[in-house]
Amino acid sequence: ALLTIAKKPSKPLAKKALEILKEYSAWVSSELVRKPWFLSQIFSLCKEKHLRSEAVDILNEIVRKRGSDSITKLTFIQQANLFEFLASVKNPEQDYAESLAALVDSIVCESIGAYRDLETEGRQIAFLGDKKRGGQIRQAVNVSTQMIMKGIEIVARYMDYPKFEVAAEMTDALNQYV
């Protein structure tokens, strides 16, 4: 219902609906907010100039969602094509750029966290000798490393952005990595 309201022509009502949806996405079941039909609606709102910042903020909440394990978060980031979406945005206005920066920051932070968690789990699995699970962990570690590198590429793209605050916000995650 909130997505339907967000598509209405009333800008204040649409923004309010997305603000409520942002809060809702932080506590509702991960399976619901990660469904393709839900995400396609959010991505379509990213094309609406007056709603795109709020729509990206919802994506950010989904990425940062607590209680999801590392592999689930990495899978979501990949399946939602968030890097492709971020790379497709050209010359965003300041408020939209700030929302995009926060999303990149969250993706990189989650990827770094996943990398660390999976490295620890991988050492434990290696000690126990579970080769099948060890292979899954190695694959997930490689994916998290690739995501960190993609995040760095996107951060580099924004480094020349006229407002340094945006670039500085995006580099917060990188401080954890180095």
Side-chain angles (χ1 to χ4, degrees), residues 41-176:
Q41 295 296 312
I42 299 301
F43 281 119
S44 73
L45 292 171
C46 289
K47 297 174 185 169
E48 302 293 328
K49 188 172 184 166
H50 67 284
L51 298 175
R52 59 179 140 199
S53 293
E54 289 80 6
V56 170
D57 290 344
I58 291 169
L59 292 172
N60 191 19
E61 285 298 319
I62 296 169
V63 168
R64 294 176 40 217
K65 191 163 182 50
R66 297 198 184 351
S68 297
D69 66 79
S70 297
I71 292 176
T72 301
K73 285 186 178 192
L74 295 176
T75 301
F76 167 72
I77 293 166
Q78 276 189 312
Q79 290 178 344
N81 296 317
L82 293 180
F83 284 114
E84 290 78 3
F85 164 70
L86 288 163
S88 73
V89 177
K90 308 292 185 223
N91 303 317
E93 320 69 53
Q94 182 65 29
D95 64 329
Y96 189 38
E98 288 172 0
S99 293
L100 294 167
L103 179 59
V104 172
D105 183 67
S106 293
I107 291 171
V108 173
C109 282
E110 293 298 337
S111 297
I112 291 167
Y115 176 86
R116 290 177 178 158
D117 292 348
L118 293 166
E119 278 285 307
T120 300
E121 186 177 348
R123 285 190 294 276
Q124 293 168 348
I125 296 297
F127 179 74
L128 297 173
D130 184 347
K131 291 183 181 187
K132 181 179 178 187
R133 181 69 178 149
Q136 292 170 334
I137 297 294
R138 276 191 301 283
Q139 183 179 5
V141 166
N142 289 340
V143 168
S144 66
T145 303
Q146 290 170 4
M147 287 185 181
I148 293 167
M149 298 312 293
K150 284 182 181 179
I152 291 170
E153 288 174 21
I154 291 172
V155 168
R157 196 178 111 209
Y158 281 92
M159 292 304 267
D160 291 333
Y161 204 79
K163 297 282 185 176
F164 183 72
E165 299 86 45
V166 174
E169 180 180 345
M170 293 170 69
T171 58
D172 288 347
L174 298 178
N175 289 332
Q176 291 184 22

Side-chain angles (χ1 to χ4, degrees), residues 19-40:
E19 288 172 16
I20 292 169
L21 193 55
K22 175 184 168 187
E23 296 304 317
Y24 167 78
S25 65
W27 60 266
V28 75
S29 165
S30 294
E31 290 77 31
L32 180 60
V33 294
R34 292 179 177 166
K35 287 197 178 285
W37 65 266
F38 182 85
L39 291 172
S40 69

